[in-house]
Amino acid sequence: MEAIAYERATDIAAAVHAAREPGVAFIGGGTNLLDLMKGGVERPSKLVDITHLHDDGLDTVRALPDGGIRIGSLMRNSDAANHPLVRERYPLLTQALLAGASAQLRNMATVGGNLMQRTRCPYFYDTAFAGCNKRTPGSGCSAVHGYHRTHAIFGASEACIAVNPSDMSVALAALDATVQVAGPGGTRGIPIGEFHRLPGDRPDLDTTLQSAELITAVDLPPSTLSSLSTYLKIRDRASYAFALVSVAVALHMQGDNIEAIHIALGGVAHKPWRATIAEGLLTGQPLDNKTLQDAAAAQMRDAHPLRDNRYKVTLAERAIVRAVNVAAGRERLGVTGEPA
Ligand code: SF4
């Protein structure tokens, strides 16, 4: 048994101060961190409990003067998904949040914790396997020549081929969110595209957060892309499973033409992956099947699959086509994700 110090923070400044020493972890919902601690994967020297912070706005959603919204980092996933401002202005985010985990977990997990959840690579979770650069830097990667059916096809490195498991983060990437943080140096906003890292030679680092920085909120900008949107999640079973591939789409149509489109992919990289090639080929074009299929195919030509995850290239290509059609109202999905 290992001793762990515990401190209940009373405000953001106290939480940041308490986290200044190395080896400290913030704990909110704890739905991922406690699993990792039980398995011996995470071994913090101290837990700073942020669940009782009373700073204004940490557990609320509020409208911003520019027409966007700010979601407090301590909002439970289920409360964020069902908040009227989120449902009305950003239904894509509601869909993505409700596609994640189980109802019980969504009632416990926080928005900040969702951003911080770690990969579900089985070698990372099982300490019986020695080789995992993310868990033990320099120990190798068991997945490269082992089980990698669920692993990355974009942006991987020799050191790590894991994927980010968050559904919420994929929607946030399509919506151009900004992650607000507070730390020893003050506050700052991190664009969602810069919040999660690619593995490179430091796969132990999932995000660009600095030491003792605490996520305080997620800002969503006002957007004309919010009304036509969808989140399509493809997984091995219909519930309580992580995405093999997911697609978040938000678009704005002018007649039959796509005036603007954002597409983000989940389950394919160490971070939510913006499909910028497809976005560029679709913007300003009429929405027809050939244009859409060509754009999706061009996007996936950039993929670098391994032996057992080549299926993701075709799966993602078809998922992009289906998700754009659904968002534009050209196709409907049933409860299983199949065409209705
Ligand atoms: Fe570890 Fe990453 Fe390799 Fe999985 S893919 S075994 S998380 S280094």
Side-chain angles (χ1 to χ4, degrees), residues 86-99 167-168 170-176 220 225-232 247-251 262-264 327:
V86 177
R87 278 195 170 272
E88 180 191 318
R89 298 188 190 180
Y90 305 95
L92 172 60
L93 180 56
T94 295
Q95 279 186 46
L97 281 163
L98 295 180
D167 294 296
M168 181 193 77
V170 183
L172 294 182
L175 293 168
D176 282 339
L220 293 176
L225 304 177
S226 303
S227 57
L228 295 180
S229 63
T230 201
Y231 185 68
L232 174 61
V247 187
V249 174
L251 78 165
H262 291 181
I263 306 171

Side-chain angles (χ1 to χ4, degrees), residues 8-96:
R8 180 181 285 191
T10 50
D11 58 28
I12 292 173
V16 169
H17 185 78
R20 284 186 122 143
E21 56 207 77
V24 179
F26 294 116
I27 184 160
T31 54
N32 190 203
L33 179 59
L34 291 179
D35 276 352
L36 291 164
M37 288 172 64
K38 284 182 210 164
V41 179
E42 298 264 12
R43 310 168 93 103
S45 57
K46 179 164 100 174
L47 292 177
V48 176
D49 186 345
I50 56 173
T51 54
H52 297 84
L53 296 188
H54 296 302
D55 301 65
D56 182 37
L58 280 176
D59 57 357
T60 60
V61 176
R62 57 184 152 158
L64 295 172
D66 66 359
I69 65 170
R70 172 163 291 176
I71 305 172
S73 62
L74 291 182
M75 284 287 289
R76 305 291 173 176
N77 284 190
S78 48
D79 292 339
N82 291 311
H83 193 282
L85 282 173
V86 177
R87 278 195 170 272
E88 180 191 318
R89 298 188 190 180
Y90 305 95
L92 172 60
L93 180 56
T94 295
Q95 279 186 46

Side-chain angles (χ1 to χ4, degrees), residues 96 150-154 162-174 230-235 242-249 263-275 300 311-313 315-317 319-320 323:
T150 57
H151 289 64
I153 56 173
F154 289 115
V163 297
N164 183 296
S166 169
D167 294 296
M168 181 193 77
S169 297
V170 183
L172 294 182
T230 201
Y231 185 68
L232 174 61
K233 179 175 181 177
I234 298 166
R235 42 191 158 178
F242 294 96
L244 298 171
V245 165
S246 68
V247 187
V249 174
I263 306 171
L265 303 176
V268 296
H270 202 254
K271 60 190 285 186
W273 195 259
R274 272 293 283 266
M300 299 314 296
Y311 73 96
K312 284 195 178 188
V313 178
L315 190 62
E317 184 177 323
I320 291 170

Side-chain angles (χ1 to χ4, degrees), residues 2-326:
E2 291 178 29
I4 301 171
Y6 171 86
E7 183 170 336
R8 180 181 285 191
T10 50
D11 58 28
I12 292 173
V16 169
H17 185 78
R20 284 186 122 143
E21 56 207 77
V24 179
F26 294 116
I27 184 160
T31 54
N32 190 203
L33 179 59
L34 291 179
D35 276 352
L36 291 164
M37 288 172 64
K38 284 182 210 164
V41 179
E42 298 264 12
R43 310 168 93 103
S45 57
K46 179 164 100 174
L47 292 177
V48 176
D49 186 345
I50 56 173
T51 54
H52 297 84
L53 296 188
H54 296 302
D55 301 65
D56 182 37
L58 280 176
D59 57 357
T60 60
V61 176
R62 57 184 152 158
L64 295 172
D66 66 359
I69 65 170
R70 172 163 291 176
I71 305 172
S73 62
L74 291 182
M75 284 287 289
R76 305 291 173 176
N77 284 190
S78 48
D79 292 339
N82 291 311
H83 193 282
L85 282 173
V86 177
R87 278 195 170 272
E88 180 191 318
R89 298 188 190 180
Y90 305 95
L92 172 60
L93 180 56
T94 295
Q95 279 186 46
L97 281 163
L98 295 180
S102 63
Q104 292 90 339
L105 284 169
R106 291 194 295 269
N107 287 341
M108 194 69 195
T110 63
V111 166
N114 195 324
L115 281 165
M116 295 299 292
Q117 65 177 303
R118 309 208 67 186
T119 185
R120 263 57 184 186
C121 173
Y123 302 108
F124 176 66
Y125 277 77
D126 191 342
T127 54
F129 288 97
C132 175
N133 288 320
K134 187 178 280 296
R135 175 164 35 83
T136 311
S139 63
C141 174
S142 298
V144 171
H145 299 294
Y147 174 89
H148 54 241
R149 175 178 170 271
T150 57
H151 289 64
I153 56 173
F154 289 115
S157 70
E158 285 183 9
C160 181
I161 57 172
V163 297
N164 183 296
S166 169
D167 294 296
M168 181 193 77
S169 297
V170 183
L172 294 182
L175 293 168
D176 282 339
T178 298
V179 181
Q180 299 293 342
V181 305
T187 60
R188 65 182 179 125
I190 308 171
I192 186 71
E194 298 167 19
F195 181 79
H196 296 103
R197 293 179 70 256
L198 290 178
D201 59 3
R202 288 297 308 272
D204 52 314
L205 300 177
D206 291 345
T207 73
T208 55
L209 281 176
Q210 301 295 309
S211 173
E213 278 189 326
L214 174 69
I215 300 169
T216 55
V218 173
D219 288 356
L220 293 176
S223 176
T224 56
L225 304 177
S226 303
S227 57
L228 295 180
S229 63
T230 201
Y231 185 68
L232 174 61
K233 179 175 181 177
I234 298 166
R235 42 191 158 178
D236 279 331
R237 56 176 189 262
S239 67
Y240 201 22
F242 294 96
L244 298 171
V245 165
S246 68
V247 187
V249 174
L251 78 165
H252 183 62
M253 300 289 293
Q254 195 69 262
D256 292 334
N257 273 24
I258 300 173
E259 189 164 282
I261 185 164
H262 291 181
I263 306 171
L265 303 176
V268 296
H270 202 254
K271 60 190 285 186
W273 195 259
R274 272 293 283 266
T276 52
I277 296 171
E279 288 177 359
L281 290 170
L282 289 168
T283 303
Q285 299 301 312
L287 180 50
D288 58 57
N289 289 340
K290 179 165 188 335
T291 306
L292 185 49
Q293 280 162 3
D294 287 351
Q299 180 65 52
M300 299 314 296
R301 275 197 282 279
D302 244 17
H304 294 283
L306 294 165
R307 182 194 65 221
D308 294 335
N309 65 0
R310 290 182 194 284
Y311 73 96
K312 284 195 178 188
V313 178
T314 309
L315 190 62
E317 184 177 323
R318 292 178 182 174
I320 291 170
V321 171
R322 179 174 289 177
V324 174
N325 275 329
V326 171

